[in-house]
Amino acid sequence: MNRQQRERLSQFQGVTGADAGVAARCLEASGWSVESAIDVYYSGGMHLTRSSGPRLDRDAIHRLFLRYKDADEEGVGVEGISQLCADLGVEPDDIVVLVLSWHFGAEAMCEYSQREFEEGMAGLGCDSIDKLKAKLPQLRAELQDPAKFRQIYQFAYLFSREKGQKIVQLDVALGMWDLLLPPSRWQHIEAWKDFLRTHHKRAVSRDTWNQLLDFVLNTAPDFSNYDDSGAWPYLLDEFVELMRKQAADGSAAMQQDG
């Protein structure tokens, strides 16, 4: 394995949390394309592999699938997911639903295939709604684990793409950032969203999505440690420039008032 392949192996593991053997198999099957390998990982159900636990009633899981399955669809659609959320006592836009979708390995928003739903429930050790409801606090807690949060954050980009598209539309990305990066996690989220609406006005690339998290985690609130010569997306350079200018203008105005 050469250096570039090792780097891609590390990148793949950072997104999926898979062990090195699984990561290598997915990458080899995808010609060492990280994005294609991630698609193979989730579409092939490899993320659902779990150590054996208490015996599950697979028939009960299937009956749950049939309960939520849309009559005119092969899987669980918008109406079914809304009912599932109602039974769990959460709103469809609750972030815990995103975490659940990550565990299910859902390939698209607002739908679960039979495999995703049934294997996802089994992977969580749940064969009833009561068990899944009891699992929700644990799913929420995973958002506080830095490694799992990164995996969920990066999964959210793939999850948010429209079918057949490789990038996420701006309005969808903004909604996902509302869930994942609220002001309690990043104080500049509203300024970032306003900046994109005003200066970007187009779909968000995967590189921008992923690097924003690194930016949030590593950049001081006043941007004092931001490296202008670093390998950041140009959008982040422009955002920092704007925020620094606004801060300087605000400081100058205060001095004049004083």
Side-chain angles (χ1 to χ4, degrees):
M1 189 180 296
N2 60 37
R3 180 178 178 182
Q4 184 181 54
Q5 289 173 331
R6 287 195 298 272
E7 289 175 351
R8 293 182 179 180
L9 184 77
S10 177
Q11 184 180 352
F12 178 92
Q13 288 183 283
V15 173
T16 64
D19 62 43
V22 170
R25 289 197 297 275
C26 290
L27 285 162
E28 287 169 357
S30 306
W32 291 90
S33 164
V34 175
E35 183 171 351
S36 297
I38 290 171
D39 289 340
V40 167
Y41 178 74
Y42 285 113
S43 64
M46 297 181 186
H47 65 293
L48 300 171
T49 303
R50 300 286 191 275
S51 57
S52 59
R55 187 174 182 84
L56 291 169
D57 186 340
R58 289 276 184 167
D59 288 338
I61 294 176
H62 182 60
R63 288 194 296 273
L64 281 176
F65 169 74
L66 295 178
R67 173 180 175 180
Y68 297 114
K69 175 184 176 295
D70 285 6
D72 300 329
E73 302 291 341
E74 294 184 355
V76 180
V78 174
E79 291 184 9
I81 290 175
S82 295
Q83 185 58 54
L84 172 63
C85 291
D87 292 346
L88 291 173
V90 300
E91 295 296 327
D93 60 355
D94 190 314
I95 193 170
V96 77
V97 180
L98 175 63
V99 181
L100 180 64
S101 297
W102 172 61
H103 278 279
F104 281 13
E107 294 184 7
M109 295 177 68
C110 302
E111 62 181 71
Y112 299 137
S113 68
Q114 180 176 350
R115 177 191 59 77
E116 289 169 352
F117 183 90
E118 295 189 7
E119 294 304 319
M121 289 288 287
L124 287 169
C126 299
D127 53 16
S128 71
I129 289 301
D130 286 342
K131 288 182 180 179
L132 183 58
K133 191 171 185 177
K135 185 80 71 171
L136 295 184
Q138 177 183 324
L139 300 186
R140 291 188 191 280
E142 290 179 338
L143 293 163
Q144 306 309 315
D145 179 303
K148 287 186 177 179
F149 179 79
R150 180 178 291 275
Q151 291 173 35
I152 294 165
Y153 179 89
Q154 294 181 341
F155 161 80
Y157 186 86
L158 303 175
F159 177 68
S160 300
R161 295 178 301 181
E162 294 181 5
K163 288 186 177 180
Q165 299 296 313
K166 291 189 175 183
I167 56 177
V168 175
Q169 297 304 308
L170 179 59
D171 59 335
V172 178
L174 295 177
M176 273 295 171
W177 275 319
D178 276 334
L179 279 180
L180 291 159
L181 298 175
S184 59
R185 193 179 283 271
W186 187 37
Q187 69 184 69
H188 298 300
I189 183 62
E190 292 301 327
W192 169 248
K193 289 161 52 184
D194 289 343
F195 167 78
L196 290 180
R197 291 189 190 102
T198 304
H199 300 278
H200 190 55
K201 300 179 182 178
R202 56 182 180 274
V204 175
S205 73
R206 189 175 182 182
D207 182 56
T208 296
W209 176 273
N210 287 341
Q211 290 210 46
L212 180 67
L213 181 60
D214 292 325
F215 174 83
V216 169
L217 295 175
N218 297 298
T219 305
D222 63 356
F223 311 106
S224 57
N225 65 338
Y226 183 78
D227 183 1
D228 298 292
S229 61
W232 295 106
Y234 77 93
L235 273 176
L236 287 173
D237 288 335
E238 293 181 356
F239 175 66
V240 170
E241 181 180 355
L242 177 65
M243 294 297 287
R244 284 173 171 170
K245 182 178 184 302
Q246 290 178 351
D249 291 346
S251 178
M254 289 180 63
Q255 289 179 359
Q256 290 178 358
D257 292 341

